[in-house]
């Protein structure tokens, strides 16, 4: 099915199942510990061995020798895999990191060997017996130092433009009556998902099956095939459940390559998980940025010039953190300029983490807007409303498909009690605590991707859905079940959803905030075909057939749905593809974040007191699942604001705090009170589901809202994330 | 993890005897620190002596009016004990400021005293660390040192003692009772127990290898207001940037120990007469000779400011 014109009324609009706050259907499996994650598929393979990845001990240089003498004869050791033993591996099509390095080392903890043994403990013990000697070479680890020589990043085939110019930014900024010109920094961040990267690899002749935790199985199979140099059709990836990803498990990383090579070498299935302390430097992360923002405005708050430059670093050939993406779309202004520059750094690969580019860029832009509001003596909410636009500011005439940013801001301001905010910072005090409020807008692109599904109907009236879509804790299982139930006129208990198997029809997986809208649209397309098949089988005219209450009605007759499959199971498969609506319309999700913080006037400790997000993202398929996504993302935004930082040791060249004791993320005590309002919205330009993604929207802007609240509380403006107490206490007056 | 042998002792004498005869032996109590370190091969004992069943898990009043705490009393039980809560509030508060409920259920009193530093370079076996590999160098001093020590440190090591409980114990003048394989018993103050790093940061305590902590003794309660103020980047489950444990009297006198800044709970008794003069004068004396790095010099101000908050709180 090709979606080319805005959707009209369709079966989803019945809202018998869609739109309900249904509990997660896999919830009981997870709360009872019976949902099987990659490393836990013990019944599917027999007699597995265990693999242990050895990470490079240096940041840059070359392996001189790997002395395996002791490791080879250690108890239980079955095989030792190195780049030398397996020959050159190809590079995947998304990550540029070499997943088994040698002799050249590109970054700290890059995989240099895999030790395979009978038990995990034996593999780990033998790994420490490998004697690897290196020749170190000088690396570049300091983004600030590399910044000035960083070129404009090369323009990729996809992704945002590296440089944009609209009107005359320089002239308009120079002549603007009110100007803001500030530089902000965001640190490297890690996903810190619960489940580590893990794989069980099993070869049967030339056929490779991997139980893994890859978010986009189609990319995973493609990249494993490319890296190992085997046909993609010989690979089956299974990821029934994924214990969080946040973009950190997009496609093949070292675990799946190491496990596959190890299983080949050992002639046995191999289980392998990356130890937590290896994950931060071995895999990918959200790269640090330095961002300069310039905004010119007239005294009434009208933005006349807006410029945003961002610098980030990556391994050679790696992507740029597209921190300017939101600035191109969020606010009006006739004269505009953005630029992305990219330095080469010898740190682990920078790549996608929840709302890549947008979360990062909005950490800066939305502080800048707060600073501008103060310069203009205009309320920060009012300034944002003043500069709203209903069309793409770079392409006048190109409308937003739906954009309720103003309503988000207004609704939030009302509900949060924004009118109680004191414009003069540092003036509200409760005992030891200085209290402040902050606001930020949220915008996140709402891409939609082609997605396929297969649906089966049996004589009992059970509908089975199969697609390689993954559920990374987001609720994919549930919303897909809701979609199929709505389409086929049955209750959810009559639908079985099977996900996370690359042998199923291809979805775009969980990434880019496109999973929910895309995968359910694919299921919609397949269900339309199945409805046709059902009608045909029952001798009902398709256009008359109604699917309600487990029955098919038409021609004054009513049949149990299962009757259509009496003779033989009905199977329908289709793929939803898209025309040009995404070029005709700017399709984005919007929101507004409101945060109240307390700052201890003695110690500078910052504690969030309450948060509110108002979001609109097309049709909300399941308000409970959507709310869970938003509150999780808000929590992650608090982490970005106040504590998350992969600290670069610029001498050794690595992320020092590479475990969950050193890399702090919020705990329950940090998140006392969150509210989420989901505005009613339908976006018929997206797909027949009229839905947009919401999983990443919730993090965008949060950190800036926290930063702005800290400023409102204290009068201290911190432009370097995370905002920790050591950046406040010098300027914080105890006797204020 | 290196292969090791294991035995379970049933009485303290059995444990010390086993330690005396077995090279490379370690006592295992709650295991919340040792087992993690073994997985990372930072600790690689050849033999484990499990002391979980040797008793030593009682809390009893002493004839002098103090409290005798068995080495194996868990953090949870100690924090919840009615006498501790009534008379040694500082200790209960410090315990509850540390770790998580699950860890406190396993962690023991003596084990907590002996927990090792959380310096990230100590934890990464590829990095230079004089504590882990004597004489290898220290990557932390010129590296990421925000969390690390500002006083009592040396040119070899700037690691901190990370815990909370010991800070309270130090302010309470707790003493440690030990026994050796030959039956000899000793009593040590915490300053006698903990060594400063000097050029031998791998030697953290004065305990001998067959010496077992059997109990911790608290002197009779001293009254006053008990406050434990732990400052950290998140609200819970994090090590202190700075923590202040204080017992303060109405007349402004009192005692103060500070955590998160030194290789052991930091208390300078000779500075305490300055407490009535306020945080500034006292802190200047307490931190005299401090040698912070650029990254952690904020702790100087943070100690003073946290103490100011504590002194203020004590007045109200």
């Amino acid at each position: 099915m090709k979606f080319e014109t805005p959707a009209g009324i369709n079966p989803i609009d019945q809202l018998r199942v869609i739109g309900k706050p249904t509990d997660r259907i896999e919830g009981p499996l997870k709360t009872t510990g019976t949902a099987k994650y990659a490393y836990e598929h013990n019944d599917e393979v027999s007699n597995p061995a265990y693999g242990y990845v050895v990470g490079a001990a240096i940041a840059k240089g070359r392996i001189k020798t790997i002395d395996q003498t002791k490791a080879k004869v250690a108890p239980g050791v079955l095989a030792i895999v190195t780049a030398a033993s397996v020959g050159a591996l190809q590079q995947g099509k998304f990550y540029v990191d070499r997943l088994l390095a040698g002799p050249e080392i590109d970054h700290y903890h890059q995989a240099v060997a895999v030790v395979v043994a009978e038990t995990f403990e034996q593999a780990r013990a033998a790994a420490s017996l490998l004697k690897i000697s290196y020749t170190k070479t000088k690396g570049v680890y300091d983004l600030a130092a590399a910044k000035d020589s960083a070129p404009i990043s090369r323009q990729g085939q996809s992704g945002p433009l590296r440089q944009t110019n609209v009107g005359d930014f320089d002239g308009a900024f120079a002549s603007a009556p009110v100007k803001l010109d500030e530089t902000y920094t965001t640190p490297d961040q890690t996903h810190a998902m619960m489940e580590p990267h893990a794989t069980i690899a099993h070869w049967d002749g030339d056929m490779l099956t991997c139980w893994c935790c890859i978010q986009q199985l189609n990319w995973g199979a493609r990249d494993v095939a490319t890296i190992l140099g085997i046909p993609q059709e010989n690979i089956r990836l299974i990821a029934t459940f994924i214990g969080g990803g946040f973009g950190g498990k997009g496609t093949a990383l070292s675990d799946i390559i190491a496990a596959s090579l190890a299983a080949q070498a050992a002639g046995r299935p191999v289980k392998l998980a990356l130890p937590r302390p290896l994950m931060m430097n071995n895999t990918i992360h959200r790269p640090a940025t330095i961002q300069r923002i310039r905004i010119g405005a007239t005294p009434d708050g009208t933005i006349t010039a807006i410029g945003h430059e961002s610098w980030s670093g990556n391994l050679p050939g790696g992507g740029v953190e597209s921190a300017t993406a939101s600035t191109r779309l969020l606010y009006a202004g006739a004269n505009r300029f953005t630029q992305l520059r990219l330095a080469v750094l010898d740190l682990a690969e920078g790549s996608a983490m929840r709302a890549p580019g947008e979360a990062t860029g909005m950490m800066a832009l939305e502080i800048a807007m707060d600073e501008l509001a103060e310069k203009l003596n205009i309320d920060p909410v009012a300034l944002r409303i003043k500069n709203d636009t209903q069309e793409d500011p770079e392409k006048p005439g190109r409308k937003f498909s739906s954009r309720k940013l103003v309503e988000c801001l207004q609704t939030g301001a009302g509900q949060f009690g924004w009118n109680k905010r004191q414009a003069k910072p540092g003036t509200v005090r409760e005992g030891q605590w200085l209290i402040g409020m902050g606001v930020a807008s949220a915008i996140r692109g709402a891409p939609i991707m082609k997605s396929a599904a297969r649906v089966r109907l049996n004589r009992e009236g059970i509908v089975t859905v199969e697609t390689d879509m993954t559920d990374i804790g987001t609720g994919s299982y549930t919303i897909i079940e809701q979609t199929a139930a709505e389409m086929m006129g049955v209750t959810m208990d009559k639908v079985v959803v099977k996900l996370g198997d690359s042998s199923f029809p291809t979805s775009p997986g969980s990434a880019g905030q496109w999973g929910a809208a895309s995968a359910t649209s694919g299921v919609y397309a397949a269900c339309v075909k199945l409805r046709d098949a059902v009608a045909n089988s029952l001798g009902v005219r398709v256009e008359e057939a109604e699917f309600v209450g487990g029955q098919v009605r038409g021609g004054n007759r009513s049949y149990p749905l299962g009757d259509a499959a009496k003779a033989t199971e009905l199977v329908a498969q289709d793929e939803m593809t898209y025309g040009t609506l995404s070029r005709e319309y700017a399709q984005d999700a919007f929101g507004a974040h409101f945060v109240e913080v307390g700052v201890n006037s003695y110690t500078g400790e910052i504690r969030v007191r309450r948060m509110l997000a108002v979001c609109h993202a097309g049709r909300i398929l399941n308000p409970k699942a959507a709310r869970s996504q938003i509150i999780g993302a808000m929590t992650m935004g608090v982490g970005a604001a106040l504590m998350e930082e992969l600290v670069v040791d610029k001498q050794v060249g690595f992320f020092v705090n590479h475990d969950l004791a050193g890399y702090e993320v919020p705990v329950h005590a940090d998140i006392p009170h969150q509210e989420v309002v989901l505005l009613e919205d339908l976006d018929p330009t997206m797909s027949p589901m009229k839905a947009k993604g919401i999983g990443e929207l919730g993090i965008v802007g949060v950190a800036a809202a926290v930063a702005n609240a800290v400023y409102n509380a204290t009068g201290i403006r911190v432009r370097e994330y995370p905002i920790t107490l050591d950046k406040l206490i010098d300027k914080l007056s105890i006797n204020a | 993890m290196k292969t090791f042998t294991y035995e379970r002792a049933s009485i303290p004498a059995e444990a010390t005897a086993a330690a005396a005869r077995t090279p490379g032996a370690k006592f295992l109590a709650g295991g919340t620190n040792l087992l993690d370190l073994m997985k990372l091969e930072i600790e690689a004992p050849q033999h484990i002596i499990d002391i979980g069943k040797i008793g030593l898990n009682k809390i009893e009043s002493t004839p002098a009016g103090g409290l005798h705490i068995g080495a194996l009393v868990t953090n949870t039980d100690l924090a919840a004990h009615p006498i501790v809560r009534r008379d040694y509030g500082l200790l209960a508060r410090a315990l509850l400021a540390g770790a998580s409920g699950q860890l406190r259920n396993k962690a023991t009193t003596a084990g907590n005293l002996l927990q090792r530093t959380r310096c990230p370079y100590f934890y990464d076996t590829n990095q230079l660390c004089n504590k882990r590999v004597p004489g290898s160098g220290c990557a932390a001093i010129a590296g990421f040192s925000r969390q690390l020590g500002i006083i009592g440190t040396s040119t070899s090591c700037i690691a901190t003692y990370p815990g909370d409980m010991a800070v309270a114990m130090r302010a309470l003048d707790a003493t440690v009772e030990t026994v050796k394989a030959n039956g000899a018993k000793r009593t040590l103050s915490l300053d006698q127990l903990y060594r400063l790093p000097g050029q031998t940061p791998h030697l953290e305590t004065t305990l001998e290898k067959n010496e077992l902590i059997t109990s911790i003794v608290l002197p009779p309660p001293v009254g006053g207001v008990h406050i434990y103020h732990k400052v950290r980047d998140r609200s819970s489950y994090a090590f202190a940037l700075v923590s202040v444990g204080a017992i303060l009297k109405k007349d402004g006198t009192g005692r103060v120990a500070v955590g998160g800044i030194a290789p052991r709970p930091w208390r300078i008794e000779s500075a305490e007469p300055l407490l009535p003069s306020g945080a500034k004068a006292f802190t200047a004396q307490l931190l005299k000779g401090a040698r912070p790095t650029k990254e952690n010099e904020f702790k100087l101000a943070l100690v003073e400011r946290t103490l100011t908050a504590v002194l203020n709180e004590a007045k109200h």
Side-chain angles (χ1 to χ4, degrees), chain B residues 1-298:
Chain B
M1 190 188 288
K2 295 240 162 55
T3 305
F4 58 90
T5 52
Y6 172 95
E7 73 178 284
R8 175 175 278 172
S10 54
I11 54 169
E14 220 175 273
T16 52
R21 74 169 169 264
T22 327
K26 279 260 177 194
F27 298 122
L28 173 71
T32 57
N33 194 202
L34 178 62
L35 295 183
D36 283 353
L37 293 168
M38 286 169 67
K39 290 174 188 172
L40 296 166
E41 297 201 351
I42 295 162
E43 296 265 16
Q46 291 159 32
H47 185 66
I48 287 288
I49 304 159
D50 186 340
I51 56 170
K53 307 278 182 192
I54 63 172
L56 305 181
N57 56 359
K58 292 193 174 54
I59 301 172
E60 295 161 317
S61 295
T62 64
L67 207 59
H68 185 270
I69 303 160
L72 293 169
V73 170
T74 66
N75 288 178
T76 298
D77 288 346
L78 185 57
H81 194 273
I83 294 177
V84 172
R85 291 174 51 144
R86 190 188 65 202
D87 295 336
Y88 304 96
L90 176 61
L91 178 58
R93 286 173 195 129
L95 281 161
L96 294 176
S100 66
Q102 293 92 328
L103 287 167
R104 293 194 296 268
N105 287 342
K106 289 297 288 179
T108 64
T109 309
N112 192 308
L113 286 177
L114 299 181
Q115 70 173 308
R116 307 198 66 190
T117 187
R118 301 290 168 158
C119 174
Y121 297 90
F122 173 71
Y123 265 77
D124 185 334
T125 51
N126 291 324
Q127 307 307 325
L128 300 178
C129 175
N130 287 319
K131 188 183 278 298
R132 187 164 27 74
V133 183
S136 63
C138 171
I141 291 173
F144 173 47
S145 58
R146 178 173 180 267
Q147 304 262 351
L148 301 178
I150 59 172
I151 194 162
T153 53
S154 73
T155 53
S156 302
C157 183
I158 58 170
T160 54
Y161 172 80
D164 296 296
M165 183 196 77
V167 177
M169 294 281 198
R170 180 70 183 85
L172 289 164
D173 282 334
T175 53
V176 170
E177 296 183 334
T178 71
V179 63
K180 295 183 210 176
N182 63 8
K185 293 183 177 180
R186 290 207 285 170
T187 299
L188 303 167
S189 71
L190 290 195
D191 270 5
Q192 288 168 333
L193 173 71
Y194 293 116
R195 292 170 182 262
L196 292 181
Q199 298 309 305
T200 54
H202 59 292
L203 303 175
E204 294 173 353
T205 72
T206 53
L207 295 177
E208 293 171 26
K209 100 177 188 47
N210 62 19
E211 189 171 10
L212 180 72
I213 297 177
T214 52
S215 54
I216 292 88
V217 177
L218 300 180
V222 293
V225 180
H226 288 221
I227 298 172
Y228 190 73
H229 192 140
K230 181 176 182 180
V231 180
R232 42 188 158 174
D233 290 322
R234 64 181 172 192
S235 308
S236 180
Y237 201 42
F239 294 100
L241 291 168
V242 159
S243 66
V244 171
I247 300 171
L248 297 162
K249 300 281 181 61
K250 282 280 170 241
D251 62 4
T253 62
R255 24 169 113 177
V256 169
V258 177
I261 60 167
R264 65 184 182 203
W266 199 251
R267 181 177 172 199
I268 305 289
E269 277 91 338
S270 62
E272 286 169 0
L274 290 168
L275 275 172
S277 322
K280 196 177 183 69
F282 170 78
T283 307
Q285 192 64 26
L286 181 81
L287 300 183
K288 203 171 166 189
R291 286 182 311 183
T293 65
K294 194 167 174 299
E295 288 192 356
N296 67 22
E297 65 185 355
F298 74 94

Side-chain angles (χ1 to χ4, degrees), chain A residues 174-513:
Chain A
S175 63
V178 180
K179 291 190 187 71
L180 171 118
D181 181 354
E182 292 291 352
T183 297
Y184 308 84
T185 63
T186 66
D188 297 282
Q189 296 175 348
T190 185
H191 308 77
M193 72 298 270
M194 286 293 289
E195 181 200 25
H197 302 80
T199 300
I200 301 176
H202 170 56
W203 291 89
D204 185 359
D206 291 339
M207 303 298 294
L208 172 65
T209 302
C210 291
W211 290 265
C212 64
C213 52
I214 288 176
Q215 295 176 222
Q216 293 154 274
L217 291 181
N218 59 331
W219 286 20
R222 174 198 72 193
D223 290 341
V224 171
T226 307
I227 293 165
L228 298 182
I230 61 175
Q232 186 171 338
E233 54 271 24
N234 288 8
I235 298 169
R236 183 178 173 200
L237 304 184
I238 299 168
T240 319
F241 295 104
I242 297 176
F246 309 118
K249 298 169 174 172
T251 175
L253 282 162
S254 64
D255 60 303
I256 195 166
I257 299 305
S260 300
L261 292 170
Q264 208 163 35
R268 287 197 11 209
V270 165
K271 294 180 69 161
L272 184 150
L274 297 187
R276 180 71 63 181
L278 198 74
M279 288 168 60
M280 281 70 162
N281 286 282
N282 175 274
T283 69
I284 59 160
H285 69 283
R286 188 201 296 278
T289 62
I290 299 169
Q291 302 180 46
R292 181 186 185 196
I293 293 182
R294 285 174 287 171
I295 309 178
T298 55
D300 71 346
T302 304
I303 292 174
T304 54
I306 186 162
H308 190 167
E309 296 150 88
S310 177
W311 290 259
S312 60
N314 215 333
L315 292 170
V320 69
E321 179 72 1
S322 55
T324 58
S326 304
T327 307
R328 296 177 51 204
L329 284 167
L330 187 54
Y331 298 119
N335 303 288
R336 319 177 68 86
F337 163 64
T338 70
Q339 191 177 74
L340 297 168
R341 287 181 177 267
L342 181 61
V344 170
L345 293 181
D346 301 302
L347 293 166
E349 181 169 0
S351 190
M353 180 168 144
R354 203 171 201 168
E358 290 156 307
T360 319
M362 290 286 277
M363 288 171 79
L365 177 65
E366 288 297 281
I367 296 183
M369 286 297 283
D370 202 62
E371 299 199 66
L372 181 65
E374 189 176 40
K375 279 177 190 276
L376 291 162
N377 197 23
I378 294 176
D379 181 88
V381 171
L383 177 65
R384 287 170 170 86
I385 290 173
K386 172 97 184 162
N387 289 285
D388 184 51
T389 172
Q390 290 297 312
E391 56 184 30
D392 180 344
E394 289 182 0
K395 293 182 187 140
R398 181 182 183 237
K399 299 272 186 211
F400 283 94
S401 57
S402 80
R403 170 167 167 140
K404 295 186 181 173
L405 176 62
V406 171
E407 291 87 333
C408 290
L409 287 160
Q410 287 171 336
T411 305
Q415 181 154 336
F416 199 68
W418 183 253
N419 59 359
K420 295 196 183 70
R421 173 184 177 269
Q422 299 297 313
K424 187 170 160 39
T427 52
V428 182
R429 180 181 270 272
E430 284 180 21
Q432 299 187 357
W433 296 88
L434 296 162
I435 313 300
M437 290 189 205
V439 66
S441 301
I443 177 173
R444 170 71 175 99
I448 195 155
M449 312 285 277
K450 68 177 184 179
S451 189
R454 183 162 53 226
V455 281
R456 303 170 182 276
L457 175 68
N458 70 12
R459 70 183 63 178
E460 282 78 41
I462 301 295
V463 178
T464 302
V465 185
E466 296 167 346
T467 162
D468 79 349
M469 179 62 189
T470 51
D471 190 326
I472 60 173
T474 41
S476 307
Y477 276 103
T478 310
I479 57 171
I480 285 171
E481 190 162 291
Q482 287 176 276
T483 303
E486 191 78 75
M487 290 298 291
M488 302 311 298
V490 297
T491 47
M492 286 178 66
D493 60 330
K494 301 289 186 220
V495 182
V496 175
V497 179
K498 295 182 177 175
L499 302 181
D501 186 329
S502 67
S503 67
F504 294 153
T506 303
S507 79
S510 300
Q513 189 176 257

Side-chain angles (χ1 to χ4, degrees), chain A residues 165-180:
Chain A
N165 279 293
V166 175
D168 170 19
F169 170 77
D170 288 337
F173 182 71
S175 63
V178 180
K179 291 190 187 71
L180 171 118

Side-chain angles (χ1 to χ4, degrees), chain A residues 131-155:
Chain A
K131 282 207 168 23
I132 307 178
S133 60
Y134 300 92
T135 309
K136 286 188 199 175
T137 53
K138 200 167 169 318
V140 180
Y141 313 112
D142 185 348
L143 175 62
K147 169 178 174 274
D148 289 341
S149 57
I152 298 172
S153 71
R154 79 194 151 80
Q155 184 65 53

